[in-house]
Coordinates of all heavy atoms in Angstrom, one line a residue:
M762 N 108.8 1.4 21.1 CA 110.1 1.9 21.3 C 110.0 3.2 21.7 O 110.8 3.9 22.7 CB 111.0 1.5 20.2 CG 112.4 1.9 20.5 SD 113.1 0.8 21.7 CE 114.8 1.0 21.4
R763 N 109.3 4.1 21.0 CA 109.1 5.4 21.5 C 108.6 5.7 22.8 O 108.9 6.6 23.5 CB 108.2 6.2 20.4 CG 108.8 6.5 19.0 CD 108.0 7.2 18.2 NE 108.6 7.6 17.1 CZ 108.1 8.4 16.0 NH1 106.7 8.5 16.0 NH2 108.7 8.7 15.0
L764 N 107.8 4.9 23.2 CA 107.1 5.1 24.6 C 108.3 4.9 25.5 O 108.3 5.5 26.5 CB 106.0 4.0 24.8 CG 105.3 4.0 26.1 CD1 104.7 5.4 26.4 CD2 104.3 2.9 26.3
I765 N 109.0 3.8 25.4 CA 110.2 3.6 26.4 C 111.2 4.8 26.4 O 111.6 5.3 27.4 CB 110.8 2.2 26.0 CG1 110.0 1.1 26.3 CG2 112.2 2.2 26.9 CD1 110.4 -0.3 25.7
T766 N 111.5 5.3 25.2 CA 112.3 6.4 25.1 C 111.8 7.6 25.8 O 112.4 8.4 26.6 CB 112.7 6.8 23.6 OG1 113.2 5.6 23.1 CG2 113.6 7.9 23.5
S767 N 110.5 7.9 25.6 CA 109.7 9.1 26.2 C 109.6 8.9 27.7 O 110.0 9.9 28.4 CB 108.3 9.1 25.6 OG 108.3 9.4 24.3
I768 N 109.4 7.6 28.2 CA 109.4 7.5 29.7 C 110.9 7.7 30.2 O 110.9 8.3 31.3 CB 109.0 6.0 30.0 CG1 107.5 6.0 29.7 CG2 109.2 5.8 31.4 CD1 106.9 4.5 29.6
A769 N 111.8 7.2 29.5 CA 113.3 7.5 30.0 C 113.7 8.9 30.2 O 114.2 9.4 31.0 CB 114.3 6.7 29.1
I770 N 113.2 9.6 29.1 CA 113.4 11.1 29.0 C 112.7 11.8 30.1 O 113.3 12.7 30.9 CB 113.1 11.8 27.6 CG1 114.1 11.2 26.6 CG2 113.1 13.2 27.7 CD1 113.7 11.6 25.2
L771 N 111.5 11.5 30.4 CA 110.7 12.1 31.5 C 111.4 11.7 32.7 O 111.4 12.6 33.7 CB 109.2 11.6 31.4 CG 108.3 12.3 30.3 CD1 107.0 11.5 30.3 CD2 108.3 13.7 30.7
A772 N 111.8 10.5 33.0 CA 112.4 10.1 34.4 C 113.6 10.8 34.6 O 113.8 11.3 35.6 CB 112.6 8.6 34.3
A773 N 114.5 11.0 33.6 CA 115.7 11.6 33.6 C 115.5 13.3 34.0 O 116.2 13.7 34.8 CB 116.5 11.5 32.4
S774 N 114.5 13.8 33.3 CA 114.2 15.2 33.6 C 113.7 15.5 34.9 O 113.7 16.5 35.5 CB 113.4 15.7 32.5 OG 112.1 15.2 32.6
A775 N 113.1 14.5 35.5 CA 112.5 14.6 36.9 C 113.6 14.7 38.0 O 113.4 15.1 39.0 CB 111.6 13.5 37.2
L776 N 114.6 14.1 37.7 CA 115.7 14.0 38.7 C 116.2 15.5 38.8 O 116.6 16.2 37.9 CB 116.9 13.1 38.2 CG 116.4 11.7 38.1 CD1 117.5 10.9 37.6 CD2 116.1 11.1 39.5
P777 N 116.6 15.9 40.1 CA 117.1 17.3 40.3 C 118.6 17.3 39.8 O 119.4 16.4 40.2 CB 117.1 17.5 41.7 CG 117.1 16.1 42.3 CD 116.3 15.3 41.3
A778 N 118.9 18.2 38.9 CA 120.2 18.3 38.4 C 121.1 19.2 39.3 O 120.4 20.3 39.6 CB 120.2 18.8 36.9
L779 N 122.2 18.9 39.6 CA 123.0 19.9 40.3 C 123.6 20.8 39.3 O 123.9 20.5 38.2 CB 124.2 19.1 41.1 CG 123.7 18.0 42.2 CD1 124.9 17.3 42.6 CD2 123.0 18.8 43.3
A780 N 123.8 22.1 39.8 CA 124.3 23.1 39.0 C 125.6 23.7 39.3 O 126.0 23.3 40.5 CB 123.2 24.2 38.8
D781 N 126.2 24.4 38.5 CA 127.4 25.1 38.9 C 127.0 26.1 40.0 O 125.8 26.7 40.0 CB 128.1 25.9 37.7 CG 128.8 24.8 36.8 OD1 128.8 23.6 37.1 OD2 129.0 25.3 35.6
R782 N 127.9 26.4 40.9 CA 127.5 27.4 41.9 C 128.8 28.4 41.8 O 129.8 28.0 41.5 CB 127.3 26.9 43.3 CG 128.5 26.3 44.0 CD 128.3 26.0 45.4 NE 129.4 25.3 46.0 CZ 130.5 25.7 46.4 NH1 130.8 27.0 46.2 NH2 131.4 24.9 46.8
Q783 N 128.6 29.6 42.5 CA 129.6 30.5 42.7 C 130.5 30.0 43.7 O 130.1 29.3 44.7 CB 129.0 32.0 43.1 CG 128.2 32.6 42.0 CD 129.0 32.9 40.8 OE1 130.1 33.4 40.9 NE2 128.4 32.6 39.6
V784 N 131.9 30.4 43.7 CA 132.7 29.9 44.8 C 132.6 30.8 45.9 O 132.3 31.9 45.8 CB 134.3 29.9 44.2 CG1 134.4 28.9 43.1 CG2 134.7 31.2 43.7
T785 N 132.9 30.3 47.1 CA 132.9 31.2 48.2 C 134.3 32.0 48.2 O 135.1 31.8 47.4 CB 133.0 30.3 49.5 OG1 134.2 29.5 49.6 CG2 131.8 29.4 49.5
E786 N 134.4 33.0 49.2 CA 135.5 33.9 49.3 C 136.7 33.1 49.6 O 137.8 33.3 49.0 CB 135.3 35.0 50.3 CG 134.2 36.0 49.7 CD 134.7 36.5 48.4 OE1 135.8 37.1 48.3 OE2 133.7 36.8 47.6
D787 N 136.7 32.1 50.3 CA 137.8 31.3 50.9 C 138.1 30.3 49.7 O 139.3 30.3 49.4 CB 137.4 30.3 52.0 CG 138.5 29.5 52.5 OD1 139.5 30.0 52.7 OD2 138.3 28.2 52.6
E788 N 137.2 29.8 48.9 CA 137.5 29.1 47.8 C 138.2 30.0 46.7 O 139.2 29.6 46.1 CB 136.3 28.4 47.2 CG 135.8 27.2 47.9 CD 134.3 26.8 47.7 OE1 133.6 27.7 47.0 OE2 134.0 25.7 48.0
R789 N 137.7 31.2 46.5 CA 138.2 32.1 45.6 C 139.7 32.4 45.9 O 140.5 32.4 44.9 CB 137.5 33.4 45.5 CG 137.9 34.4 44.5 CD 137.0 35.5 44.3 NE 135.7 35.2 43.8 CZ 135.4 35.0 42.6 NH1 136.2 35.0 41.7 NH2 134.2 34.6 42.2
A790 N 140.0 32.6 47.0 CA 141.4 32.9 47.5 C 142.3 31.7 47.1 O 143.4 31.9 46.6 CB 141.5 33.2 49.0
K791 N 141.9 30.6 47.5 CA 142.7 29.4 47.2 C 142.8 29.0 45.7 O 143.9 28.7 45.3 CB 142.2 28.3 48.0 CG 142.2 28.2 49.3 CD 141.5 27.1 50.1 CE 141.5 27.1 51.5 NZ 140.8 26.2 52.3
L792 N 141.7 29.3 45.1 CA 141.7 29.0 43.6 C 142.6 30.1 42.9 O 143.3 29.7 41.9 CB 140.3 29.1 43.1 CG 140.1 28.4 41.8 CD1 140.5 27.0 41.7 CD2 138.4 28.4 41.6
T793 N 142.5 31.3 43.3 CA 143.4 32.4 42.6 C 144.9 31.9 42.9 O 145.6 32.1 41.9 CB 143.1 33.6 43.3 OG1 141.7 34.1 43.1 CG2 144.0 34.7 42.7
S794 N 145.3 31.6 44.0 CA 146.7 31.1 44.2 C 147.0 29.8 43.3 O 148.1 29.8 42.7 CB 146.9 30.7 45.8 OG 146.7 31.7 46.5
A795 N 146.1 28.9 43.2 CA 146.3 27.8 42.4 C 146.4 28.2 40.9 O 147.2 27.7 40.2 CB 145.2 26.7 42.5
V796 N 145.6 28.9 40.3 CA 145.7 29.5 39.0 C 147.0 30.3 38.8 O 147.7 30.0 37.8 CB 144.5 30.4 38.7 CG1 144.8 31.2 37.3 CG2 143.2 29.7 38.8
Q797 N 147.4 31.1 39.7 CA 148.6 31.8 39.6 C 149.9 30.8 39.6 O 150.9 31.2 38.9 CB 148.9 32.8 40.7 CG 148.0 34.0 40.6 CD 147.9 35.0 41.8 OE1 148.4 34.7 42.8 NE2 147.3 36.0 41.6
A798 N 149.8 29.8 40.3 CA 150.9 28.7 40.4 C 151.1 28.0 39.1 O 152.1 27.5 38.6 CB 150.6 27.6 41.5
E799 N 149.9 28.1 38.3 CA 150.0 27.4 36.9 C 150.5 28.6 35.8 O 150.4 28.3 34.7 CB 148.6 26.9 36.5 CG 148.2 25.7 37.3 CD 149.2 24.6 37.2 OE1 149.7 24.4 36.3 OE2 149.3 24.0 38.3
G800 N 150.8 29.7 36.3 CA 151.3 30.8 35.4 C 150.1 31.5 34.6 O 150.3 32.0 33.6
C801 N 148.9 31.5 35.4 CA 147.8 32.0 34.8 C 147.2 33.2 35.6 O 147.4 33.2 36.8 CB 146.7 30.9 34.5 SG 147.4 29.6 33.4
S802 N 146.1 33.9 35.1 CA 145.5 34.8 35.9 C 144.1 35.1 35.4 O 143.8 34.7 34.2 CB 146.2 36.1 35.9 OG 146.4 36.7 34.7
G803 N 143.3 35.6 36.1 CA 141.9 36.0 35.7 C 140.9 34.8 35.5 O 141.2 33.8 36.0
G804 N 139.9 35.1 34.6 CA 138.9 34.0 34.3 C 137.6 34.1 35.4 O 137.6 34.7 36.2
K805 N 136.7 33.2 35.0 CA 135.5 33.1 35.7 C 135.6 31.9 36.5 O 135.7 30.8 36.0 CB 134.3 33.0 34.7 CG 132.9 32.9 35.4 CD 131.8 32.9 34.3 CE 130.6 32.5 35.1 NZ 129.5 32.3 34.1
F806 N 135.5 31.9 37.8 CA 135.5 30.9 38.7 C 134.1 30.3 39.1 O 133.3 31.0 39.4 CB 136.0 31.3 40.1 CG 137.6 31.8 40.0 CD1 138.3 31.8 38.8 CD2 138.2 32.2 41.1 CE1 139.5 32.3 38.8 CE2 139.5 32.7 41.1 CZ 140.2 32.7 39.8
E807 N 134.0 29.0 38.9 CA 132.7 28.2 39.4 C 133.1 26.9 39.9 O 134.1 26.4 39.8 CB 131.8 28.1 38.1 CG 131.2 29.2 37.5 CD 130.3 28.9 36.4 OE1 130.5 27.8 35.7 OE2 129.5 29.7 36.1
M808 N 132.1 26.5 40.9 CA 132.3 25.1 41.4 C 131.2 24.2 40.6 O 130.0 24.6 40.7 CB 131.9 25.2 42.8 CG 131.7 23.8 43.5 SD 133.2 22.8 43.3 CE 132.6 21.3 44.3
D809 N 131.6 23.3 40.1 CA 130.8 22.2 39.4 C 130.4 21.2 40.4 O 131.2 20.3 40.7 CB 131.6 21.6 38.2 CG 130.6 20.7 37.4 OD1 129.6 20.1 37.9 OD2 131.0 20.6 36.1
E810 N 129.1 21.3 40.7 CA 128.5 20.4 41.8 C 128.5 18.9 41.4 O 128.8 18.0 42.1 CB 127.2 20.8 42.2 CG 127.2 22.2 43.0 CD 127.9 22.0 44.4 OE1 127.9 21.1 45.0 OE2 127.9 23.1 45.1
D811 N 128.2 18.7 40.1 CA 128.1 17.4 39.5 C 129.5 16.7 39.5 O 129.5 15.5 39.9 CB 127.6 17.4 38.0 CG 126.2 17.9 37.9 OD1 125.4 17.7 38.7 OD2 125.8 18.6 36.9
D812 N 130.5 17.4 39.0 CA 131.8 16.7 39.0 C 132.6 16.9 40.1 O 133.8 16.4 40.2 CB 132.6 17.2 37.7 CG 131.8 16.8 36.4 OD1 131.1 15.8 36.5 OD2 132.0 17.6 35.5
Q813 N 132.2 17.8 41.1 CA 132.9 18.1 42.4 C 134.3 18.6 41.9 O 135.4 18.1 42.5 CB 133.0 16.9 43.2 CG 131.7 16.6 43.9 CD 131.3 17.6 44.9 OE1 131.9 17.8 45.9 NE2 130.2 18.2 44.5
Q814 N 134.4 19.6 41.1 CA 135.6 20.2 40.7 C 135.4 21.7 40.5 O 134.3 22.2 40.2 CB 136.2 19.6 39.5 CG 135.4 19.7 38.3 CD 135.8 18.9 37.0 OE1 136.8 18.2 37.2 NE2 135.3 19.2 35.9
F815 N 136.5 22.5 40.6 CA 136.5 23.9 40.4 C 136.8 24.0 38.8 O 137.8 23.5 38.4 CB 137.4 24.6 41.2 CG 137.1 24.5 42.7 CD1 137.6 23.6 43.5 CD2 136.1 25.4 43.2 CE1 137.2 23.6 44.8 CE2 135.7 25.3 44.5 CZ 136.3 24.4 45.4
E816 N 136.2 25.1 38.3 CA 136.4 25.4 36.8 C 136.7 26.8 36.7 O 136.1 27.7 37.5 CB 135.0 25.2 36.1 CG 134.6 23.7 36.0 CD 133.4 23.5 35.3 OE1 132.7 24.5 35.0 OE2 133.1 22.4 35.0
V817 N 137.8 27.1 36.0 CA 138.2 28.6 35.7 C 138.1 28.6 34.1 O 138.9 28.1 33.5 CB 139.6 28.8 36.2 CG1 139.8 30.2 35.8 CG2 139.6 28.5 37.8
D818 N 137.1 29.4 33.8 CA 137.0 29.7 32.3 C 137.7 30.9 31.9 O 137.6 32.0 32.6 CB 135.5 29.8 31.9 CG 134.7 28.5 32.2 OD1 135.3 27.3 32.1 OD2 133.4 28.5 32.5
D819 N 138.4 30.8 30.7 CA 139.0 31.9 30.1 C 140.2 32.5 30.8 O 140.4 33.8 30.9 CB 138.0 33.1 29.7 CG 136.9 32.6 28.8 OD1 137.3 31.7 27.9 OD2 135.8 33.0 28.8
A820 N 140.9 31.7 31.6 CA 142.2 32.2 32.3 C 143.2 32.5 31.2 O 143.4 31.8 30.2 CB 142.7 31.1 33.3
V821 N 143.9 33.6 31.3 CA 145.0 34.0 30.4 C 146.3 33.4 31.1 O 146.6 33.9 32.3 CB 145.1 35.5 30.3 CG1 146.3 35.9 29.3 CG2 143.8 36.1 29.7
C822 N 147.1 32.6 30.3 CA 148.2 32.1 30.9 C 149.5 32.7 30.3 O 149.4 33.7 29.4 CB 148.4 30.6 30.6 SG 146.9 29.6 31.6
A823 N 150.6 32.4 30.7 CA 151.9 33.0 30.4 C 152.1 33.1 29.0 O 152.9 33.9 28.5 CB 153.1 32.3 31.1
D824 N 151.6 32.2 28.1 CA 151.8 32.3 26.7 C 150.8 33.2 26.0 O 150.9 33.4 24.8 CB 151.6 30.9 26.1 CG 150.3 30.3 26.2 OD1 149.4 30.9 26.9 OD2 150.1 29.1 25.8
G825 N 149.9 34.0 26.9 CA 149.1 35.0 26.3 C 147.8 34.4 25.8 O 146.9 35.1 25.2
K826 N 147.6 33.0 25.9 CA 146.4 32.5 25.2 C 145.3 32.2 26.4 O 145.7 32.1 27.6 CB 146.7 31.1 24.6 CG 147.6 31.3 23.4 CD 148.0 30.0 22.8 CE 148.9 30.3 21.6 NZ 149.3 29.0 21.0
K827 N 144.1 31.9 26.2 CA 143.2 31.7 27.2 C 142.9 30.2 27.3 O 143.0 29.4 26.2 CB 141.8 32.3 26.7 CG 141.8 33.8 26.8 CD 140.3 34.3 26.6 CE 140.2 35.8 26.6 NZ 139.0 36.3 26.4
Y828 N 142.9 29.8 28.5 CA 142.4 28.4 28.8 C 141.3 28.2 29.7 O 140.9 29.1 30.5 CB 143.8 27.8 29.4 CG 145.0 27.7 28.6 CD1 145.9 28.8 28.4 CD2 145.3 26.4 27.9 CE1 147.0 28.7 27.6 CE2 146.4 26.4 27.0 CZ 147.2 27.4 26.9 OH 148.3 27.2 26.1
D829 N 140.8 27.0 29.7 CA 139.9 26.5 30.7 C 140.5 25.5 31.6 O 141.0 24.6 31.1 CB 138.6 25.9 30.1 CG 137.7 26.8 29.2 OD1 137.8 28.0 29.5 OD2 137.0 26.3 28.3
L830 N 140.6 25.9 32.9 CA 141.4 25.1 33.9 C 140.2 24.4 34.8 O 139.2 24.9 35.1 CB 142.1 25.9 34.7 CG 143.1 26.9 33.9 CD1 143.8 27.8 34.9 CD2 144.0 26.2 33.1
K831 N 140.6 23.1 35.3 CA 139.8 22.5 36.1 C 140.6 21.9 37.2 O 141.8 21.4 37.0 CB 139.1 21.3 35.5 CG 138.1 21.7 34.4 CD 137.2 20.5 33.8 CE 136.5 21.2 32.6 NZ 135.1 21.0 32.8
F832 N 140.2 22.2 38.4 CA 140.9 21.9 39.7 C 140.0 20.7 40.5 O 138.9 21.1 40.5 CB 141.3 23.1 40.5 CG 142.2 24.0 39.8 CD1 141.8 25.0 38.9 CD2 143.6 23.9 40.1 CE1 142.8 25.8 38.4 CE2 144.5 24.8 39.5 CZ 144.2 25.7 38.6
D833 N 140.9 19.9 41.2 CA 140.1 19.1 42.2 C 139.7 19.8 43.4 O 140.1 21.1 43.6 CB 140.7 17.8 42.3 CG 142.1 17.9 43.2 OD1 142.4 19.0 43.7 OD2 142.8 16.9 43.1
M834 N 139.1 19.2 44.4 CA 138.7 19.9 45.6 C 140.0 20.3 46.6 O 139.8 21.1 47.2 CB 137.8 18.8 46.4 CG 136.5 18.5 45.7 SD 135.6 20.0 45.3 CE 134.9 20.3 47.0
Q835 N 141.1 19.7 46.3 CA 142.3 20.1 46.9 C 143.2 21.2 46.1 O 144.2 21.4 46.5 CB 143.2 19.0 47.2 CG 142.6 18.0 48.3 CD 141.5 17.1 47.7 OE1 141.5 16.7 46.6 NE2 140.5 16.9 48.5
M836 N 142.5 21.8 45.2 CA 143.1 22.8 44.2 C 144.2 22.3 43.5 O 145.2 23.1 43.2 CB 143.4 24.0 45.0 CG 142.4 24.6 45.9 SD 140.9 25.1 44.7 CE 139.8 25.7 46.0
R837 N 144.2 21.0 43.0 CA 145.2 20.4 42.3 C 144.7 20.5 40.8 O 143.6 20.1 40.5 CB 145.6 19.0 42.6 CG 146.4 19.0 43.9 CD 146.7 17.5 44.2 NE 145.5 16.7 44.3 CZ 145.1 15.9 45.3 NH1 145.8 15.8 46.3 NH2 143.9 15.3 45.3
L838 N 145.6 21.0 39.9 CA 145.1 21.0 38.3 C 144.9 19.6 37.9 O 145.7 18.7 38.1 CB 146.2 21.6 37.7 CG 145.9 21.9 36.2 CD1 144.8 22.9 36.0 CD2 147.1 22.3 35.4
K839 N 143.7 19.4 37.3 CA 143.3 18.2 36.6 C 143.4 18.4 35.1 O 143.6 17.4 34.6 CB 141.8 18.0 37.1 CG 141.6 17.5 38.5 CD 140.1 17.3 38.9 CE 139.5 16.1 38.1 NZ 138.1 15.9 38.4
R840 N 143.0 19.6 34.6 CA 142.9 19.7 33.1 C 143.1 21.1 32.8 O 142.8 22.1 33.5 CB 141.5 19.2 32.7 CG 141.6 19.0 31.3 CD 140.1 18.3 30.9 NE 140.1 17.1 31.5 CZ 138.9 16.6 32.3 NH1 137.9 17.4 32.5 NH2 138.9 15.5 32.8
K841 N 143.9 21.2 31.7 CA 144.1 22.6 31.2 C 143.8 22.5 29.7 O 144.7 21.8 28.8 CB 145.5 23.0 31.4 CG 146.0 24.4 30.8 CD 147.3 24.7 31.3 CE 147.8 26.1 30.8 NZ 149.1 26.3 31.2
N842 N 142.8 23.2 29.2 CA 142.4 23.0 27.8 C 142.4 24.4 27.2 O 141.9 25.4 27.7 CB 141.0 22.6 27.6 CG 140.8 21.1 28.1 OD1 141.8 20.3 28.0 ND2 139.7 20.7 28.7
L843 N 143.1 24.4 26.0 CA 143.1 25.9 25.3 C 141.7 26.1 24.9 O 140.9 25.3 24.4 CB 144.0 25.6 24.0 CG 144.2 26.8 23.1 CD1 145.0 27.8 23.9 CD2 145.0 26.5 21.8
D844 N 141.2 27.3 25.1 CA 139.9 27.8 24.8 C 139.7 28.3 23.5 O 140.5 28.7 22.9 CB 139.6 29.0 25.9 CG 138.1 29.3 25.8 OD1 137.3 28.5 25.6 OD2 137.9 30.6 26.1

């Protein structure tokens, strides 16, 4: 059983993992507008290649609290989690 588990782990680690990437200037402008439309500002912008979504970490929203926001490729809010 350990051999099978070890082989599975090795196989999974050999696959190239997609990583987060920095957003382009065009994406940043659109994402900034989308974040502002939600009543928030600031945060760290990234594109999650695995999930094909934009992430904004630590955006400060109108209630003064920090949130992690996720937007789809059309800049529509998918998720807003209190940080």
Side-chain angles (χ1 to χ4, degrees):
M762 187 64 165
R763 284 186 169 172
L764 178 61
I765 293 172
T766 303
S767 296
I768 291 171
I770 290 171
L771 281 173
S774 66
L776 297 174
L779 298 174
D781 291 347
R782 68 163 172 82
Q783 297 297 316
V784 296
T785 65
E786 289 303 315
D787 182 53
E788 291 168 339
R789 180 174 298 282
K791 291 175 183 175
L792 199 49
T793 297
S794 293
V796 169
Q797 289 174 346
E799 296 300 324
C801 306
S802 63
K805 180 181 175 190
F806 296 0
E807 291 182 333
M808 169 57 178
D809 184 333
E810 295 282 354
D811 289 329
D812 296 330
Q813 289 295 295
Q814 65 186 8
F815 293 98
E816 298 176 347
V817 181
D818 294 331
D819 300 330
V821 178
C822 296
D824 62 2
K826 296 178 182 175
K827 287 186 179 181
Y828 290 86
D829 291 339
L830 309 174
K831 296 190 186 235
F832 293 88
D833 65 15
M834 298 300 288
Q835 290 74 40
M836 304 299 173
R837 292 182 300 235
L838 183 67
K839 291 176 61 179
R840 196 170 298 126
K841 180 178 179 180
N842 295 328
L843 187 61
D844 192 32

